[in-house]
Amino acid sequence: MARDHDHGHDHGHGHGHDHGHGHDHAPAPVAPPPAPAHHDHDHGHDHAHLRTPGNERRLVAMLVLVVGYIFVELFGGLWSGSLALLADAGHMLSDAAALAIALVALRLARRPPTARRTYGYHRAEVLAAVVNGGALIAVALGILWEAWGRLAAPAPVEGPLMMGVAAGGLVVNLLGLAVLAGGRHQDMNLRGAWLHVLSDALGSVGALVAGALVWWKGWTWADPVASAAIALLVLRASFALLNEAVHVLMEGAPAHIDVDAVRAAMLGTPGVRAVHDLHVWTITSGMVAMSGHVVMDGTVAGESLLATLAAGLRARFRIGHTTIQIEPVDFVEEGFHP
């Protein structure tokens, strides 16, 4: 008798995808129970490199750099009267929080799965990215508000001191970008931290340019204008990060995988008559999962068909975690099918 495939992965098949399969899963009278439906669990994940000690060392090193320079920018901003430096100090404080969150998430992700959390704590990375994105938006809006007030009532600014502190902040941020660069393309959490540091580096550049204009031309308005420009760049980066993280939490298909192409590849496999209930989603960065039902035409043995499908999906689409239910033509399964 076929099994209702609860694989213990706690994904519930509620992935929010509009699959439009047009399959009628209404109960129908069945003859004697058909042959068992086969399931495949191919766990060849290619994501071990994402939780390496190297990523953790990068985050720790950057956290030390950022915390050390926050106080320099804070006192420099108060002393020089520069909003851009104070904004940059606040931004660096959010950097420190983001790096600390990323570090905690990285350590949580190494915890083994449990009976309650069958995927472990891999989603901690995505939740950290949401927190980082939200913090960036809050910082950017605060800077814009203060910049508007400064434009209405310009305040005196010590240009040379502002430039010196901003130059030091730029050096710290460039070092941080170099430290974090190695893991940012594979790890959403690390990429969120990298974006924090990048936007802070842009803030240091803006403060440096504004300081030069204040010193050279006496244009005090350059300070709030630079701050507002930095804030807009921060908003753009943070919305992009939030969009990616929310897409993962909504169980959306990965951007680099065409679900229709996956379906077509499966349908093109000898022995496959139909494919339905196909889902592809991201568990965490570099960890893609797929589940689906395959109706076989009876020309290929179920075990052989299962092995061919799993190998093809792994080779062509780099999907290492596949859960495939093989069904005979007359098989009807009751229950919810999104």
Side-chain angles (χ1 to χ4, degrees):
M1 183 148 142
R3 295 173 287 168
D4 185 5
H5 67 298
D6 178 6
H7 310 302
H9 295 311
D10 194 28
H11 54 263
H13 288 266
H15 308 308
H17 307 309
D18 183 8
H19 301 291
H21 303 314
H23 299 294
D24 181 9
H25 295 290
V30 229
H38 303 283
H39 303 270
D40 170 61
H41 300 275
D42 181 57
H43 299 287
H45 308 307
D46 183 23
H47 60 270
H49 62 287
L50 301 181
R51 316 290 174 240
T52 60
N55 283 354
E56 188 171 331
R57 285 194 296 270
R58 289 184 182 100
L59 289 170
V60 170
M62 190 57 216
L63 186 58
V64 171
L65 279 172
V66 168
V67 170
Y69 208 76
I70 284 175
F71 296 102
V72 176
E73 288 214 315
L74 179 62
F75 289 117
L78 291 172
W79 193 301
S80 67
S82 169
L83 172 63
L85 284 182
L86 290 174
D88 212 29
H91 193 188
M92 287 191 89
L93 183 60
S94 77
D95 287 349
L99 290 163
I101 291 169
L103 192 58
V104 171
L106 198 64
R107 290 179 175 175
L108 278 175
R110 290 204 297 262
R111 289 189 178 182
T114 66
R116 272 181 67 85
R117 290 183 171 82
T118 55
Y119 273 130
Y121 291 80
H122 292 295
R123 281 285 170 86
E125 172 202 308
V126 186
L127 293 174
V130 171
V131 172
N132 285 348
L136 278 166
I137 290 173
V139 168
L141 292 176
I143 293 171
L144 285 171
W145 177 264
E146 187 62 27
W148 178 257
R150 283 287 186 102
L151 280 172
V157 178
E158 292 287 338
L161 178 59
M162 178 181 173
M163 289 176 65
V165 176
L170 180 59
V171 170
V172 169
N173 285 311
L174 290 176
L175 285 172
L177 289 173
V179 167
L180 296 175
R184 70 185 177 93
H185 292 297
Q186 295 83 24
D187 191 323
M188 184 188 297
N189 194 21
L190 213 59
R191 184 159 63 257
W194 189 87
L195 283 171
H196 265 274
V197 178
L198 175 62
S199 58
D200 205 30
L202 294 172
S204 296
V205 171
L208 195 57
V209 172
L213 290 174
V214 169
W215 185 27
W216 180 37
K217 294 285 190 179
W219 294 348
T220 52
W221 54 263
D223 181 48
V225 167
S227 303
I230 294 161
L232 292 175
L233 290 171
V234 171
L235 280 175
R236 180 180 177 182
S238 57
F239 275 119
L241 179 65
L242 268 179
N243 182 59
E244 185 178 357
V246 170
H247 185 72
V248 172
L249 292 176
M250 291 295 291
E251 306 283 5
H256 66 284
I257 292 181
D258 183 345
V259 178
D260 289 332
V262 172
R263 186 191 312 278
M266 295 174 72
L267 285 170
T269 304
V272 174
R273 176 175 178 144
V275 175
H276 63 94
D277 294 309
L278 179 63
H279 303 278
V280 183
W281 70 101
T282 302
I283 298 167
T284 191
S285 296
M287 192 173 177
V288 178
M290 168 264 167
S291 70
H293 295 215
V294 171
V295 180
M296 58 184 189
D297 61 13
T299 61
V300 179
E303 291 78 4
S304 176
L305 180 57
L306 201 54
T308 302
L309 286 167
L313 291 168
R314 186 166 53 248
R316 180 173 173 185
F317 300 100
R318 296 186 63 81
I319 301 177
H321 185 115
T322 56
T323 302
I324 300 171
Q325 177 164 305
I326 302 291
E327 302 170 351
V329 176
D330 57 351
F331 177 74
V332 177
E333 183 176 13
E334 299 181 16
F336 174 68
H337 297 271

